Amino acid sequence: MKSKKIFWKYLNSGINKIPGWFSRCDAQIFGILLSLQVDNKIQGSVVEIGIFHGKSFIPLALSNEGDKCYGIDIFDKQELNIDHSGVQDSQNLSSIEKNIKENFFSNLQRYSIDKNRIVLNTKLSSDIKPNDIIESVGPARFFHIDGGHNFAAVKHDLALANEVI
């Protein structure tokens, strides 16, 4: 990882500048796991379900420098979100911040992450098959799930991750 300094700076303080859920403790756990993978030359893509503004996606992309990353989020189509997770966050944003997808790309740019390295799928994760991911970015070395918070969604997302890792 060429930008290890930027990676840790983001995890230690940058996470406070982006809306969403990602505690400092979780950020440190991500940092340790992703760093260990890179240091031990464990290869593969990184995948996240539930991107929102990219708060937890950014360290994934920073650790996967030069390689493709896969993100899944319905962004502004929150009416598809049957358990309403993320809706409150969307409603609390100012009108300038309403375009979540645009903010996601802006946040990537803030950390010099090339958006051409990002494969974005704006479907519900339940509509995504393992081959959708593998054919786009290959097998994953890290898969973060923070999408739908109902049993069926979580069960599907865990099975999807299992097939892709």
Side-chain angles (χ1 to χ4, degrees):
M1 180 175 4
K2 295 178 200 169
S3 57
K4 207 167 204 174
K5 186 177 180 181
I6 294 169
F7 174 79
W8 282 107
K9 184 176 181 181
Y10 174 78
L11 288 173
N12 288 320
S13 61
I15 61 170
N16 300 327
K17 298 175 180 140
I18 296 176
W21 297 95
F22 193 45
S23 73
R24 180 159 175 122
C25 178
D26 294 334
Q28 295 300 307
I29 292 168
F30 270 46
I32 291 166
L33 292 173
L34 292 165
S35 290
L36 282 170
Q37 288 181 331
V38 170
D39 293 346
N40 288 289
K41 298 180 182 13
I42 297 171
Q43 297 181 335
S45 62
V46 292
V47 180
E48 180 171 69
I49 298 174
I51 295 171
F52 196 51
H53 287 283
K55 189 169 192 155
S56 57
F57 188 84
I58 288 169
L60 299 180
L62 288 171
S63 78
N64 217 35
E65 202 169 78
D67 290 325
K68 297 270 186 183
C69 309
Y70 197 92
I72 303 163
D73 200 299
I74 56 173
F75 293 108
D76 296 318
K77 297 182 276 183
Q78 288 299 314
E79 68 277 4
L80 299 176
N81 189 348
I82 63 168
D83 60 14
H84 307 293
S85 58
V87 172
Q88 183 178 359
D89 292 328
S90 297
Q91 291 171 344
N92 288 333
L93 299 173
S94 70
S95 59
I96 295 170
E97 294 179 305
K98 278 292 185 183
N99 192 332
I100 299 168
K101 189 175 178 182
E102 224 174 81
N103 284 343
F104 168 68
F105 284 118
S106 176
N107 289 329
L108 292 179
Q109 186 176 15
R110 184 188 303 179
Y111 291 94
S112 301
I113 298 167
D114 181 3
K115 71 179 185 177
N116 294 319
R117 289 182 35 231
I118 310 304
V119 175
L120 206 53
N121 195 321
T122 58
K123 296 183 208 172
L124 288 168
S125 61
S126 58
D127 294 333
I128 296 172
K129 306 291 182 247
N131 278 345
D132 295 335
I133 298 170
I134 293 170
E135 289 174 4
S136 296
V137 298
R141 67 176 169 92
F142 195 98
F143 199 118
H144 178 227
I145 299 171
D146 189 19
H149 296 170
N150 62 74
F151 180 79
V154 173
K155 181 179 175 186
H156 175 273
D157 293 351
L158 287 169
L160 180 63
N162 186 54
E163 292 294 319
V164 173
I165 289 183

